[in-house]
Amino acid sequence: MYVGAGTVLDQETAILAINAGAEFILSPSISEGMIKVCNRYGKVAIPGIMTPSEAVRAMELGADILKLFPVGELGPGYLKSIRSPLNHIEFIAVGGINLDNAKSFMKSGAIGLGIGDSLVDNSLIINSKFTELEKRANNFVQLLNY
């Protein structure tokens, strides 16, 4: 298992996360400092982008994978369209991913999915309903095991 850190916005937070054991760093935006720190320490940099211009810029800065965010409302067709001229770039689809669209995003070229609310509900954790969390995770695994 690889442990990473998400919503890292700057260089300082990336250093803290790496020192705590993070193997990859995700950001909702492009942070040149975060990317440089990841490159320096051999960790995977995954900045967030939305446009082709941002994708190219992030890769020029040394990003490893791109977080297409938030993509849920735009749909799998947007991922497919952005990959058309940029098919050499690996994308993770994040934001609004659920059981209804997860498979379509993978078929459109995502190498991974960032699944939030449709997988983890804080009230389930607070109420120790871990069986429900496990069930939700299994639903995604079964759906994507194609």
Side-chain angles (χ1 to χ4, degrees):
M1 175 182 355
Y2 293 99
V3 175
T7 317
V8 174
L9 301 175
D10 54 45
Q11 176 177 331
E12 294 78 14
T13 309
I15 291 169
L16 290 171
I18 290 168
N19 286 338
E23 292 295 326
F24 62 91
I25 305 291
L26 293 111
S27 179
S29 60
I30 299 171
S31 165
E32 184 174 355
M34 179 276 286
I35 294 169
K36 285 183 178 181
V37 165
C38 288
N39 291 166
R40 182 178 305 126
Y41 293 101
K43 306 304 177 185
V44 177
I46 310 171
I49 65 93
M50 179 50 70
T51 68
S53 296
E54 291 173 336
V56 170
R57 171 94 173 111
M59 296 307 289
E60 287 173 345
L61 290 172
D64 298 293
I65 300 167
L66 300 182
K67 171 182 170 179
L68 188 56
F69 172 79
V71 73
E73 292 297 318
L74 297 173
Y78 184 73
L79 171 60
K80 189 174 181 179
S81 294
I82 202 169
R83 284 194 70 246
S84 181
L86 303 173
N87 63 1
H88 61 287
I89 298 175
E90 295 181 313
F91 291 93
I92 295 173
V94 181
I97 307 300
N98 56 49
L99 286 170
D100 295 328
N101 63 20
K103 196 169 190 173
S104 295
F105 275 106
M106 293 301 291
K107 286 184 175 182
S108 293
I111 65 159
L113 304 170
I115 305 168
D117 293 342
S118 61
L119 177 60
V120 179
D121 179 334
N122 286 339
S123 68
L124 295 175
I125 296 168
I126 291 167
N127 294 310
S128 299
K129 295 189 175 186
F130 302 114
T131 304
E132 176 61 26
L133 291 172
E134 184 179 359
K135 179 182 170 187
R136 288 181 180 199
N138 283 330
N139 288 339
F140 277 101
V141 169
Q142 288 176 17
L143 175 75
L144 297 172
N145 245 349
Y146 57 93

